Amino acid sequence: MALNKKTVDDLSVQGKRVLVRCDFNVPLKNGEITDETRIVAALPTINKLISGGAKVILCSHLGKVKNGPNEGESLAPVAKRLSEKLGKEVNFVADYNVTGEAATAAVNAMKEGDVVLLQNTRFRGKEETKPTEAGEAFAKELADLADDYVCDAFGSSHRAHASVSVVTKYIKEKGGSNAVGYLMQKEIDFLGNAVENPVRPFVAILGGAKVADKLNVINNLLEKCDTLIIGGGMAFTFLKAQGCEIGKSLVDDEKLDYCKEMIAKAEKLGKKLLLPVDTVVADSFPDPIDNPSIAVATVDSDKIPADKEGLDIGDKTRTLYADAVKTAKTVVWNGPMGVFENPVLAEGTKAVAKALAETEATTIIGGGDSAAAVNQLGFADKMSHISTGGGASLEFLEGKELPGVYAADDK
Ligand code: 3PG
Ligand code: MG
């Protein structure tokens, strides 16, 4: 898919202050970064700007910041890891106000090739408000720090937030450029090509707990793909819609009609829609979730006993799905097939990951849980592309325009 937006390669940055919105929303445990993928993914753009002689001002959110600014959601650990990765100093402005005196002083002291990281943008409550509302002032303050702006935060690009899209207006007002970074470009190339211009057969695999989270993705992908595979908790609403007994399995009764509609739509379009033919069941959801001694059995998907809950796809289904993957030239996968956090219930997800790892097809993993599953199962380096965006890749697969993309200048 041709992205008709300015990119970092279109900017002349020597001596310029360039504000870069990254997605440094990394998982933390006791203050330690447990997955640095998003930091590593941001390096090409940052290095390009450093070597081009820019003054590189980075910003990002981290976490949901529900209870106001706090040290637990400070970007300090990111500054440290980023500095190690870049092999140079990252001047972290720890001020909870993000912009203001401390940030301005740090930027004023910058030389070409220096890097400054601002504090968590969500420490400013205004970050998350919709454009034209209260985020404006914060967006302007961010723009005041810089000459040009680069959005490289694919994972946040579905948010019309101050630092993602509103800021572009103020950069433009003062004659600066708004571009997208290399990570954005790469994500959009892979996801966009898969959906709009796939080498066929194109197989889409959707899983995860709730069908309600994927309504528009199912609808959109059904039109684009050749085969749509459904697994995970959301499969049970489809199975019930077909008249199957699903026992105590997760179900969204309000979405039964929707599932019926999708089944009819697949038929009408001549698309294959694959649902689980067998299911791994247990008495109840594992507690704790990774409890390795959970007792399971495999039953046909249309005969789940009334007192059992479906928690993974069964053997026959794993073979069925793996065979479908073998015929594909393009595969997009979003959402696990079962409770993969549990070793006993990870087999379905593992089988699908393995099938993707073994095919020559272009394989694209939507972020979030499926990316975590592929990483956890050790198949990451076998995939063509693992998206750094969870919600963002889903919205992209829904066919929505992303604010972080459309806010950039056209070429
Ligand atoms: C993510 O991890 O999904 C992105 O960083 C966006 O975060 P958000 O869902 O809290 O907006
Ligand atoms: Mg999210």
Side-chain angles (χ1 to χ4, degrees):
M1 200 177 73
L3 178 69
N4 203 27
K5 293 290 179 184
K6 250 185 215 167
T7 75
V8 270
D9 289 326
D10 299 315
L11 303 179
S12 43
V13 297
Q14 173 106 43
K16 295 262 198 68
R17 299 167 301 161
V18 182
L19 177 70
V20 188
R21 176 49 155 104
C22 298
D23 185 355
F24 289 144
N25 183 23
V26 290
L28 294 173
K29 202 171 182 183
N30 305 322
E32 291 292 322
I33 296 167
T34 56
D35 181 348
E36 63 178 22
T37 307
R38 284 176 165 175
I39 296 176
V40 173
L43 297 175
T45 295
I46 299 169
N47 277 322
K48 163 79 181 174
L49 292 169
I50 292 171
S51 64
K55 299 173 182 172
V56 188
I57 308 159
L58 307 171
C59 67
S60 173
H61 79 286
L62 188 142
K64 300 283 181 195
V65 194
K66 291 209 168 109
N67 302 312
N70 65 92
E71 263 322 277
E73 289 176 305
S74 162
L75 278 174
V78 170
K80 187 163 165 274
R81 183 66 61 91
L82 182 65
S83 165
E84 287 161 17
K85 294 278 162 200
L86 291 171
K88 69 180 288 158
E89 194 200 335
V90 170
N91 183 10
F92 178 53
V93 184
D95 184 1
Y96 286 179
N97 195 52
V98 190
T99 52
E101 256 174 61
T104 305
V107 169
N108 286 343
M110 288 177 95
K111 293 191 284 298
E112 290 181 9
D114 281 355
V115 180
V116 158
L117 174 65
L118 303 179
Q119 186 53 283
N120 188 340
T121 50
R122 286 188 187 168
F123 282 5
R124 288 284 297 264
K126 306 285 189 310
E127 161 74 341
E128 296 183 51
T129 49
K130 292 279 178 283
T132 75
E133 291 169 26
E136 299 282 336
F138 179 41
K140 182 167 186 314
E141 287 167 35
L142 285 168
D144 283 344
L145 291 172
D147 302 301
D148 295 320
Y149 170 80
V150 173
C151 181
D152 210 22
F154 181 74
S156 314
S157 62
H158 57 317
R159 309 280 186 215
H161 288 174
S163 66
V164 177
S165 59
V166 190
V167 62
T168 60
K169 186 172 99 183
Y170 296 101
I171 290 282
K172 202 180 233 159
E173 260 181 27
K174 57 185 198 177
S177 293
N178 295 297
V180 295
Y182 292 134
L183 175 61
M184 290 285 284
Q185 263 186 289
K186 183 172 154 202
E187 293 272 10
I188 291 159
D189 274 352
F190 269 104
L191 291 164
N193 274 325
V195 177
E196 298 307 332
N197 198 17
V199 183
R200 295 185 183 276
F202 171 23
V203 173
I205 308 172
L206 293 176
K210 291 192 231 139
V211 69
D213 291 343
K214 310 254 158 97
L215 298 179
N216 297 322
V217 186
I218 297 169
N219 191 37
N220 188 41
L221 286 183
L222 206 45
E223 285 164 20
K224 316 274 174 167
C225 73
D226 301 294
T227 300
L228 180 63
I229 295 179
I230 306 269
M234 67 186 221
F236 300 107
T237 304
F238 275 92
L239 290 167
K240 187 170 178 185
Q242 280 192 324
C244 298
E245 295 293 337
I246 58 161
K248 294 194 302 184
S249 306
L250 197 65
V251 67
D252 185 347
D253 282 315
E254 280 176 19
K255 296 294 176 284
L256 288 171
D257 283 340
Y258 171 84
C259 290
K260 283 179 197 160
E261 246 175 71
M262 290 302 114
I263 292 167
K265 181 168 175 168
E267 223 162 275
K268 186 162 163 255
L269 296 173
K271 305 291 172 84
K272 265 191 228 160
L273 176 63
L274 300 183
L275 296 172
V277 293
D278 60 348
T279 297
V280 176
V281 298
D283 287 342
S284 58
F285 198 87
D287 182 21
I289 193 165
D290 57 354
N291 174 14
S293 49
I294 184 167
V296 298
T298 302
V299 300
D300 286 346
S301 291
D302 58 347
K303 293 188 207 72
I304 299 176
D307 59 344
K308 299 284 184 198
E309 178 170 354
L311 297 167
D312 193 11
I313 55 173
D315 270 325
K316 283 185 235 160
T317 308
R318 290 171 211 163
T319 307
L320 179 74
Y321 289 6
D323 285 347
V325 166
K326 276 181 201 150
T327 67
K329 289 273 193 314
T330 305
V331 187
V332 170
W333 178 23
N334 190 296
M337 297 290 103
V339 186
F340 77 97
E341 298 89 340
N342 187 299
V344 182
L345 302 167
E347 292 302 318
T349 303
K350 215 186 262 181
V352 167
K354 190 161 170 284
L356 263 70
E358 285 169 358
T359 174
E360 296 290 306
T362 301
T363 48
I364 296 156
I365 314 298
D369 280 347
S370 17
V374 166
N375 279 322
Q376 186 184 311
L377 300 170
F379 290 115
D381 60 346
K382 298 279 194 319
M383 305 300 163
S384 311
H385 179 67
I386 301 178
S387 177
T388 55
S393 64
L394 272 183
E395 292 201 15
F396 196 96
L397 296 175
E398 286 176 9
K400 276 199 200 154
E401 262 199 292
L402 303 173
V405 180
Y406 66 69
D409 301 341
D410 292 330
K411 271 216 199 240

